[in-house]
Amino acid sequence: MTPAARGPDWQRWLRFLCGGAANTLFTYLLYLGLIQLLPYQAAYLAAYVVGIVLAYWLNARFVFKVPLSWRGLFAYPVVYLVQYVVAAGLLEVLVKLGGVPPAYAPLVVTAVLLPLTYLMNKVVLRRSARPAVPVPASKHENQ
């Protein structure tokens, strides 16, 4: 593989990391603002939901360059659901069995899950960008 052939994947990874950092910063600042008005759990939920929508937009438009769609937006939370389940399990293993302090374990979890999160984003966004499969004409004729 030539360096030019690797370029787009490398650039996509860099855009993924930059988008994730921007999303994290934005939603953290939103959370800090919302806890002035709402209970912290409500503020966290609101910031988390906004973060999912922002992540969808950033990853679709700037990372994988696929068109935005309602189908993609509604499929996108699956990425975060799978990520949360895997992260919660890994966090438990690191703290309980690995002896990693709970304050630092999420940093390890985040670093370990970056490739999985990238791959899930790629699969979900590219599949949601595909056109719907048309129904063959023979099926319409039989009904």
Side-chain angles (χ1 to χ4, degrees):
M1 180 182 293
T2 65
R6 287 190 309 247
D9 285 339
W10 209 93
Q11 291 173 357
R12 202 171 16 248
W13 256 101
L14 186 59
R15 290 192 306 264
F16 180 74
L17 292 175
C18 290
N23 188 12
T24 301
L25 178 63
F26 177 79
T27 54
Y28 183 63
L29 293 175
L30 178 63
Y31 169 77
L32 291 178
L34 288 174
I35 60 171
Q36 306 300 316
L37 306 169
L38 302 170
Y40 72 91
Q41 286 290 357
Y44 183 77
L45 176 63
Y48 195 81
V49 170
V50 170
I52 290 173
V53 174
L54 181 59
Y56 170 69
W57 185 76
L58 286 170
N59 286 318
R61 297 291 293 166
F62 298 109
V63 178
F64 298 103
K65 300 187 182 216
V66 297
L68 299 174
S69 68
W70 288 111
R71 183 172 152 201
L73 180 62
F74 289 118
Y76 198 71
V78 170
V79 171
Y80 282 89
L81 178 63
V82 171
Q83 180 193 34
Y84 178 80
V85 169
V86 173
L90 183 58
L91 183 67
E92 189 74 10
V93 169
L94 287 172
V95 171
K96 295 274 171 97
L97 302 176
V100 177
Y104 302 118
L107 299 174
V108 176
V109 169
T110 300
V112 168
L113 289 184
L114 268 175
L116 175 65
T117 305
Y118 176 84
L119 183 62
M120 288 189 307
N121 270 281
K122 186 176 179 179
V123 169
V124 167
L125 290 174
R126 288 195 172 163
R127 283 191 177 181
S128 67
R130 288 184 194 160
V133 177
V135 177
S138 62
K139 292 229 178 205
H140 288 290
E141 294 169 2
N142 293 336
Q143 294 178 357

PDB file of all heavy atoms in Angstrom, residues 56 59-61 64-73 75-76 121-133:
ATOM      1  N   TYR A  56     -23.271  12.633  15.536  1.00  0.00           N
ATOM      2  CA  TYR A  56     -23.796  12.167  14.249  1.00  0.00           C
ATOM      3  C   TYR A  56     -23.466  13.173  13.159  1.00  0.00           C
ATOM      4  O   TYR A  56     -22.942  12.817  12.098  1.00  0.00           O
ATOM      5  CB  TYR A  56     -25.311  11.943  14.332  1.00  0.00           C
ATOM      6  CG  TYR A  56     -25.940  11.707  12.985  1.00  0.00           C
ATOM      7  CD1 TYR A  56     -25.699  10.541  12.273  1.00  0.00           C
ATOM      8  CD2 TYR A  56     -26.745  12.680  12.396  1.00  0.00           C
ATOM      9  CE1 TYR A  56     -26.239  10.345  11.021  1.00  0.00           C
ATOM     10  CE2 TYR A  56     -27.290  12.492  11.154  1.00  0.00           C
ATOM     11  CZ  TYR A  56     -27.038  11.316  10.462  1.00  0.00           C
ATOM     12  OH  TYR A  56     -27.572  11.130   9.220  1.00  0.00           O
ATOM     13  N   ASN A  59     -19.554  13.336  12.519  1.00  0.00           N
ATOM     14  CA  ASN A  59     -19.011  12.135  11.888  1.00  0.00           C
ATOM     15  C   ASN A  59     -19.560  11.924  10.477  1.00  0.00           C
ATOM     16  O   ASN A  59     -18.825  11.495   9.589  1.00  0.00           O
ATOM     17  CB  ASN A  59     -19.259  10.904  12.756  1.00  0.00           C
ATOM     18  CG  ASN A  59     -18.349  10.909  13.955  1.00  0.00           C
ATOM     19  OD1 ASN A  59     -17.173  11.229  13.860  1.00  0.00           O
ATOM     20  ND2 ASN A  59     -18.886  10.571  15.117  1.00  0.00           N
ATOM     21  N   ALA A  60     -20.841  12.236  10.275  1.00  0.00           N
ATOM     22  CA  ALA A  60     -21.404  12.080   8.935  1.00  0.00           C
ATOM     23  C   ALA A  60     -20.813  13.107   7.972  1.00  0.00           C
ATOM     24  O   ALA A  60     -20.386  12.766   6.876  1.00  0.00           O
ATOM     25  CB  ALA A  60     -22.925  12.201   8.976  1.00  0.00           C
ATOM     26  N   ARG A  61     -20.785  14.363   8.366  1.00  0.00           N
ATOM     27  CA  ARG A  61     -20.370  15.430   7.453  1.00  0.00           C
ATOM     28  C   ARG A  61     -18.860  15.519   7.278  1.00  0.00           C
ATOM     29  O   ARG A  61     -18.382  15.721   6.174  1.00  0.00           O
ATOM     30  CB  ARG A  61     -20.905  16.791   7.939  1.00  0.00           C
ATOM     31  CG  ARG A  61     -22.408  16.877   7.947  1.00  0.00           C
ATOM     32  CD  ARG A  61     -22.995  16.893   6.576  1.00  0.00           C
ATOM     33  NE  ARG A  61     -22.598  18.147   5.931  1.00  0.00           N
ATOM     34  CZ  ARG A  61     -22.705  18.393   4.654  1.00  0.00           C
ATOM     35  NH1 ARG A  61     -23.221  17.492   3.871  1.00  0.00           N
ATOM     36  NH2 ARG A  61     -22.319  19.525   4.149  1.00  0.00           N
ATOM     37  N   PHE A  64     -16.746  10.839   7.785  1.00  0.00           N
ATOM     38  CA  PHE A  64     -17.022   9.838   6.754  1.00  0.00           C
ATOM     39  C   PHE A  64     -17.653  10.418   5.499  1.00  0.00           C
ATOM     40  O   PHE A  64     -17.830   9.714   4.514  1.00  0.00           O
ATOM     41  CB  PHE A  64     -17.890   8.724   7.338  1.00  0.00           C
ATOM     42  CG  PHE A  64     -17.205   8.012   8.464  1.00  0.00           C
ATOM     43  CD1 PHE A  64     -17.551   8.254   9.781  1.00  0.00           C
ATOM     44  CD2 PHE A  64     -16.165   7.134   8.210  1.00  0.00           C
ATOM     45  CE1 PHE A  64     -16.893   7.623  10.828  1.00  0.00           C
ATOM     46  CE2 PHE A  64     -15.493   6.504   9.241  1.00  0.00           C
ATOM     47  CZ  PHE A  64     -15.861   6.748  10.548  1.00  0.00           C
ATOM     48  N   LYS A  65     -18.028  11.695   5.545  1.00  0.00           N
ATOM     49  CA  LYS A  65     -18.552  12.423   4.385  1.00  0.00           C
ATOM     50  C   LYS A  65     -19.701  11.680   3.698  1.00  0.00           C
ATOM     51  O   LYS A  65     -19.664  11.407   2.495  1.00  0.00           O
ATOM     52  CB  LYS A  65     -17.429  12.747   3.420  1.00  0.00           C
ATOM     53  CG  LYS A  65     -16.378  13.617   4.084  1.00  0.00           C
ATOM     54  CD  LYS A  65     -15.334  14.104   3.150  1.00  0.00           C
ATOM     55  CE  LYS A  65     -14.349  14.895   3.983  1.00  0.00           C
ATOM     56  NZ  LYS A  65     -13.768  15.983   3.490  1.00  0.00           N
ATOM     57  N   VAL A  66     -20.701  11.341   4.507  1.00  0.00           N
ATOM     58  CA  VAL A  66     -21.921  10.724   3.983  1.00  0.00           C
ATOM     59  C   VAL A  66     -23.052  11.728   4.169  1.00  0.00           C
ATOM     60  O   VAL A  66     -22.988  12.597   5.042  1.00  0.00           O
ATOM     61  CB  VAL A  66     -22.254   9.389   4.708  1.00  0.00           C
ATOM     62  CG1 VAL A  66     -21.154   8.363   4.483  1.00  0.00           C
ATOM     63  CG2 VAL A  66     -22.523   9.601   6.174  1.00  0.00           C
ATOM     64  N   PRO A  67     -24.088  11.632   3.342  1.00  0.00           N
ATOM     65  CA  PRO A  67     -25.198  12.588   3.487  1.00  0.00           C
ATOM     66  C   PRO A  67     -25.972  12.367   4.793  1.00  0.00           C
ATOM     67  O   PRO A  67     -26.087  11.236   5.279  1.00  0.00           O
ATOM     68  CB  PRO A  67     -26.082  12.298   2.273  1.00  0.00           C
ATOM     69  CG  PRO A  67     -25.653  10.978   1.757  1.00  0.00           C
ATOM     70  CD  PRO A  67     -24.272  10.720   2.225  1.00  0.00           C
ATOM     71  N   LEU A  68     -26.468  13.453   5.354  1.00  0.00           N
ATOM     72  CA  LEU A  68     -27.304  13.361   6.552  1.00  0.00           C
ATOM     73  C   LEU A  68     -28.660  12.785   6.164  1.00  0.00           C
ATOM     74  O   LEU A  68     -29.162  13.068   5.070  1.00  0.00           O
ATOM     75  CB  LEU A  68     -27.496  14.742   7.176  1.00  0.00           C
ATOM     76  CG  LEU A  68     -26.222  15.450   7.643  1.00  0.00           C
ATOM     77  CD1 LEU A  68     -26.556  16.871   8.107  1.00  0.00           C
ATOM     78  CD2 LEU A  68     -25.556  14.679   8.769  1.00  0.00           C
ATOM     79  N   SER A  69     -29.231  11.975   7.046  1.00  0.00           N
ATOM     80  CA  SER A  69     -30.552  11.405   6.770  1.00  0.00           C
ATOM     81  C   SER A  69     -31.240  11.094   8.096  1.00  0.00           C
ATOM     82  O   SER A  69     -30.587  10.911   9.122  1.00  0.00           O
ATOM     83  CB  SER A  69     -30.425  10.113   5.949  1.00  0.00           C
ATOM     84  OG  SER A  69     -29.819   9.092   6.728  1.00  0.00           O
ATOM     85  N   TRP A  70     -32.560  11.029   8.061  1.00  0.00           N
ATOM     86  CA  TRP A  70     -33.313  10.651   9.260  1.00  0.00           C
ATOM     87  C   TRP A  70     -32.979   9.214   9.652  1.00  0.00           C
ATOM     88  O   TRP A  70     -32.867   8.886  10.825  1.00  0.00           O
ATOM     89  CB  TRP A  70     -34.811  10.797   9.027  1.00  0.00           C
ATOM     90  CG  TRP A  70     -35.245  12.228   8.969  1.00  0.00           C
ATOM     91  CD1 TRP A  70     -35.703  12.901   7.868  1.00  0.00           C
ATOM     92  CD2 TRP A  70     -35.248  13.169  10.046  1.00  0.00           C
ATOM     93  NE1 TRP A  70     -35.980  14.199   8.200  1.00  0.00           N
ATOM     94  CE2 TRP A  70     -35.726  14.393   9.527  1.00  0.00           C
ATOM     95  CE3 TRP A  70     -34.909  13.099  11.384  1.00  0.00           C
ATOM     96  CZ2 TRP A  70     -35.852  15.536  10.313  1.00  0.00           C
ATOM     97  CZ3 TRP A  70     -35.039  14.246  12.174  1.00  0.00           C
ATOM     98  CH2 TRP A  70     -35.501  15.432  11.646  1.00  0.00           C
ATOM     99  N   ARG A  71     -32.821   8.373   8.626  1.00  0.00           N
ATOM    100  CA  ARG A  71     -32.476   6.962   8.871  1.00  0.00           C
ATOM    101  C   ARG A  71     -31.148   6.866   9.631  1.00  0.00           C
ATOM    102  O   ARG A  71     -31.024   6.113  10.586  1.00  0.00           O
ATOM    103  CB  ARG A  71     -32.393   6.245   7.523  1.00  0.00           C
ATOM    104  CG  ARG A  71     -32.130   4.793   7.592  1.00  0.00           C
ATOM    105  CD  ARG A  71     -32.270   4.220   6.183  1.00  0.00           C
ATOM    106  NE  ARG A  71     -31.430   3.055   6.056  1.00  0.00           N
ATOM    107  CZ  ARG A  71     -31.002   2.565   4.922  1.00  0.00           C
ATOM    108  NH1 ARG A  71     -31.320   3.150   3.795  1.00  0.00           N
ATOM    109  NH2 ARG A  71     -30.257   1.517   4.887  1.00  0.00           N
ATOM    110  N   GLY A  72     -30.163   7.630   9.208  1.00  0.00           N
ATOM    111  CA  GLY A  72     -28.866   7.636   9.879  1.00  0.00           C
ATOM    112  C   GLY A  72     -28.950   8.195  11.286  1.00  0.00           C
ATOM    113  O   GLY A  72     -28.349   7.655  12.219  1.00  0.00           O
ATOM    114  N   LEU A  73     -29.717   9.270  11.444  1.00  0.00           N
ATOM    115  CA  LEU A  73     -29.854   9.883  12.768  1.00  0.00           C
ATOM    116  C   LEU A  73     -30.490   8.920  13.767  1.00  0.00           C
ATOM    117  O   LEU A  73     -30.057   8.824  14.907  1.00  0.00           O
ATOM    118  CB  LEU A  73     -30.675  11.171  12.673  1.00  0.00           C
ATOM    119  CG  LEU A  73     -30.903  11.913  13.991  1.00  0.00           C
ATOM    120  CD1 LEU A  73     -29.582  12.374  14.592  1.00  0.00           C
ATOM    121  CD2 LEU A  73     -31.825  13.105  13.771  1.00  0.00           C
ATOM    122  N   ALA A  75     -30.533   5.592  13.514  1.00  0.00           N
ATOM    123  CA  ALA A  75     -29.684   4.407  13.701  1.00  0.00           C
ATOM    124  C   ALA A  75     -28.454   4.733  14.552  1.00  0.00           C
ATOM    125  O   ALA A  75     -27.889   3.847  15.199  1.00  0.00           O
ATOM    126  CB  ALA A  75     -29.242   3.859  12.342  1.00  0.00           C
ATOM    127  N   TYR A  76     -28.049   5.975  14.555  1.00  0.00           N
ATOM    128  CA  TYR A  76     -26.801   6.372  15.198  1.00  0.00           C
ATOM    129  C   TYR A  76     -26.728   6.072  16.704  1.00  0.00           C
ATOM    130  O   TYR A  76     -25.665   5.673  17.194  1.00  0.00           O
ATOM    131  CB  TYR A  76     -26.540   7.852  14.936  1.00  0.00           C
ATOM    132  CG  TYR A  76     -25.113   8.229  15.183  1.00  0.00           C
ATOM    133  CD1 TYR A  76     -24.106   7.807  14.322  1.00  0.00           C
ATOM    134  CD2 TYR A  76     -24.771   8.971  16.294  1.00  0.00           C
ATOM    135  CE1 TYR A  76     -22.799   8.131  14.561  1.00  0.00           C
ATOM    136  CE2 TYR A  76     -23.462   9.312  16.536  1.00  0.00           C
ATOM    137  CZ  TYR A  76     -22.477   8.889  15.670  1.00  0.00           C
ATOM    138  OH  TYR A  76     -21.177   9.200  15.916  1.00  0.00           O
ATOM    139  N   ASN A 121     -18.975   3.664  14.022  1.00  0.00           N
ATOM    140  CA  ASN A 121     -19.397   4.870  13.304  1.00  0.00           C
ATOM    141  C   ASN A 121     -19.337   4.647  11.804  1.00  0.00           C
ATOM    142  O   ASN A 121     -20.266   4.988  11.073  1.00  0.00           O
ATOM    143  CB  ASN A 121     -18.479   6.052  13.668  1.00  0.00           C
ATOM    144  CG  ASN A 121     -18.990   6.816  14.851  1.00  0.00           C
ATOM    145  OD1 ASN A 121     -19.896   7.611  14.715  1.00  0.00           O
ATOM    146  ND2 ASN A 121     -18.420   6.555  16.012  1.00  0.00           N
ATOM    147  N   LYS A 122     -18.240   4.068  11.363  1.00  0.00           N
ATOM    148  CA  LYS A 122     -18.045   3.836   9.930  1.00  0.00           C
ATOM    149  C   LYS A 122     -19.137   2.923   9.376  1.00  0.00           C
ATOM    150  O   LYS A 122     -19.749   3.222   8.348  1.00  0.00           O
ATOM    151  CB  LYS A 122     -16.668   3.210   9.716  1.00  0.00           C
ATOM    152  CG  LYS A 122     -16.266   3.031   8.302  1.00  0.00           C
ATOM    153  CD  LYS A 122     -14.839   2.480   8.249  1.00  0.00           C
ATOM    154  CE  LYS A 122     -14.373   2.244   6.844  1.00  0.00           C
ATOM    155  NZ  LYS A 122     -12.983   1.745   6.804  1.00  0.00           N
ATOM    156  N   VAL A 123     -19.413   1.831  10.062  1.00  0.00           N
ATOM    157  CA  VAL A 123     -20.411   0.874   9.587  1.00  0.00           C
ATOM    158  C   VAL A 123     -21.815   1.490   9.584  1.00  0.00           C
ATOM    159  O   VAL A 123     -22.529   1.439   8.578  1.00  0.00           O
ATOM    160  CB  VAL A 123     -20.380  -0.417  10.438  1.00  0.00           C
ATOM    161  CG1 VAL A 123     -21.576  -1.300  10.145  1.00  0.00           C
ATOM    162  CG2 VAL A 123     -19.081  -1.167  10.202  1.00  0.00           C
ATOM    163  N   VAL A 124     -22.204   2.101  10.689  1.00  0.00           N
ATOM    164  CA  VAL A 124     -23.567   2.640  10.796  1.00  0.00           C
ATOM    165  C   VAL A 124     -23.778   3.783   9.808  1.00  0.00           C
ATOM    166  O   VAL A 124     -24.808   3.839   9.118  1.00  0.00           O
ATOM    167  CB  VAL A 124     -23.860   3.100  12.250  1.00  0.00           C
ATOM    168  CG1 VAL A 124     -25.125   3.935  12.312  1.00  0.00           C
ATOM    169  CG2 VAL A 124     -23.978   1.894  13.163  1.00  0.00           C
ATOM    170  N   LEU A 125     -22.820   4.689   9.709  1.00  0.00           N
ATOM    171  CA  LEU A 125     -23.009   5.841   8.822  1.00  0.00           C
ATOM    172  C   LEU A 125     -22.993   5.434   7.354  1.00  0.00           C
ATOM    173  O   LEU A 125     -23.782   5.944   6.553  1.00  0.00           O
ATOM    174  CB  LEU A 125     -21.952   6.902   9.102  1.00  0.00           C
ATOM    175  CG  LEU A 125     -22.138   7.607  10.440  1.00  0.00           C
ATOM    176  CD1 LEU A 125     -20.973   8.535  10.733  1.00  0.00           C
ATOM    177  CD2 LEU A 125     -23.447   8.374  10.483  1.00  0.00           C
ATOM    178  N   ARG A 126     -22.147   4.523   6.984  1.00  0.00           N
ATOM    179  CA  ARG A 126     -22.108   4.116   5.573  1.00  0.00           C
ATOM    180  C   ARG A 126     -23.339   3.296   5.198  1.00  0.00           C
ATOM    181  O   ARG A 126     -23.860   3.425   4.103  1.00  0.00           O
ATOM    182  CB  ARG A 126     -20.823   3.356   5.281  1.00  0.00           C
ATOM    183  CG  ARG A 126     -19.640   4.320   5.274  1.00  0.00           C
ATOM    184  CD  ARG A 126     -18.452   3.736   4.655  1.00  0.00           C
ATOM    185  NE  ARG A 126     -17.433   4.779   4.506  1.00  0.00           N
ATOM    186  CZ  ARG A 126     -16.173   4.544   4.298  1.00  0.00           C
ATOM    187  NH1 ARG A 126     -15.746   3.311   4.195  1.00  0.00           N
ATOM    188  NH2 ARG A 126     -15.315   5.522   4.176  1.00  0.00           N
ATOM    189  N   ARG A 127     -23.789   2.454   6.106  1.00  0.00           N
ATOM    190  CA  ARG A 127     -25.009   1.675   5.800  1.00  0.00           C
ATOM    191  C   ARG A 127     -26.228   2.568   5.724  1.00  0.00           C
ATOM    192  O   ARG A 127     -27.105   2.358   4.893  1.00  0.00           O
ATOM    193  CB  ARG A 127     -25.230   0.587   6.853  1.00  0.00           C
ATOM    194  CG  ARG A 127     -24.323  -0.575   6.654  1.00  0.00           C
ATOM    195  CD  ARG A 127     -24.716  -1.726   7.501  1.00  0.00           C
ATOM    196  NE  ARG A 127     -23.831  -2.839   7.196  1.00  0.00           N
ATOM    197  CZ  ARG A 127     -23.901  -4.012   7.737  1.00  0.00           C
ATOM    198  NH1 ARG A 127     -24.825  -4.262   8.635  1.00  0.00           N
ATOM    199  NH2 ARG A 127     -23.072  -4.946   7.402  1.00  0.00           N
ATOM    200  N   SER A 128     -26.297   3.564   6.592  1.00  0.00           N
ATOM    201  CA  SER A 128     -27.463   4.452   6.576  1.00  0.00           C
ATOM    202  C   SER A 128     -27.452   5.364   5.359  1.00  0.00           C
ATOM    203  O   SER A 128     -28.491   5.904   4.982  1.00  0.00           O
ATOM    204  CB  SER A 128     -27.540   5.273   7.859  1.00  0.00           C
ATOM    205  OG  SER A 128     -26.462   6.185   7.940  1.00  0.00           O
ATOM    206  N   ALA A 129     -26.287   5.530   4.733  1.00  0.00           N
ATOM    207  CA  ALA A 129     -26.191   6.399   3.550  1.00  0.00           C
ATOM    208  C   ALA A 129     -26.574   5.672   2.272  1.00  0.00           C
ATOM    209  O   ALA A 129     -26.781   6.299   1.241  1.00  0.00           O
ATOM    210  CB  ALA A 129     -24.775   6.945   3.423  1.00  0.00           C
ATOM    211  N   ARG A 130     -26.670   4.341   2.334  1.00  0.00           N
ATOM    212  CA  ARG A 130     -27.052   3.584   1.135  1.00  0.00           C
ATOM    213  C   ARG A 130     -28.497   3.872   0.776  1.00  0.00           C
ATOM    214  O   ARG A 130     -29.345   4.013   1.659  1.00  0.00           O
ATOM    215  CB  ARG A 130     -26.932   2.078   1.395  1.00  0.00           C
ATOM    216  CG  ARG A 130     -25.538   1.592   1.475  1.00  0.00           C
ATOM    217  CD  ARG A 130     -25.570   0.094   1.631  1.00  0.00           C
ATOM    218  NE  ARG A 130     -24.276  -0.394   2.028  1.00  0.00           N
ATOM    219  CZ  ARG A 130     -24.073  -1.570   2.597  1.00  0.00           C
ATOM    220  NH1 ARG A 130     -25.096  -2.375   2.836  1.00  0.00           N
ATOM    221  NH2 ARG A 130     -22.874  -1.947   2.931  1.00  0.00           N
ATOM    222  N   PRO A 131     -28.804   3.900  -0.500  1.00  0.00           N
ATOM    223  CA  PRO A 131     -30.205   4.086  -0.888  1.00  0.00           C
ATOM    224  C   PRO A 131     -31.028   2.856  -0.516  1.00  0.00           C
ATOM    225  O   PRO A 131     -30.495   1.745  -0.474  1.00  0.00           O
ATOM    226  CB  PRO A 131     -30.141   4.273  -2.403  1.00  0.00           C
ATOM    227  CG  PRO A 131     -28.811   3.747  -2.816  1.00  0.00           C
ATOM    228  CD  PRO A 131     -27.908   3.818  -1.628  1.00  0.00           C
ATOM    229  N   ALA A 132     -32.284   3.073  -0.233  1.00  0.00           N
ATOM    230  CA  ALA A 132     -33.177   1.955   0.088  1.00  0.00           C
ATOM    231  C   ALA A 132     -33.281   1.035  -1.120  1.00  0.00           C
ATOM    232  O   ALA A 132     -33.246   1.475  -2.260  1.00  0.00           O
ATOM    233  CB  ALA A 132     -34.546   2.485   0.477  1.00  0.00           C
ATOM    234  N   VAL A 133     -33.402  -0.254  -0.841  1.00  0.00           N
ATOM    235  CA  VAL A 133     -33.501  -1.238  -1.915  1.00  0.00           C
ATOM    236  C   VAL A 133     -34.898  -1.159  -2.510  1.00  0.00           C
ATOM    237  O   VAL A 133     -35.891  -1.281  -1.786  1.00  0.00           O
ATOM    238  CB  VAL A 133     -33.230  -2.659  -1.384  1.00  0.00           C
ATOM    239  CG1 VAL A 133     -33.406  -3.684  -2.489  1.00  0.00           C
ATOM    240  CG2 VAL A 133     -31.852  -2.730  -0.775  1.00  0.00           C
TER     241      VAL A 133
END
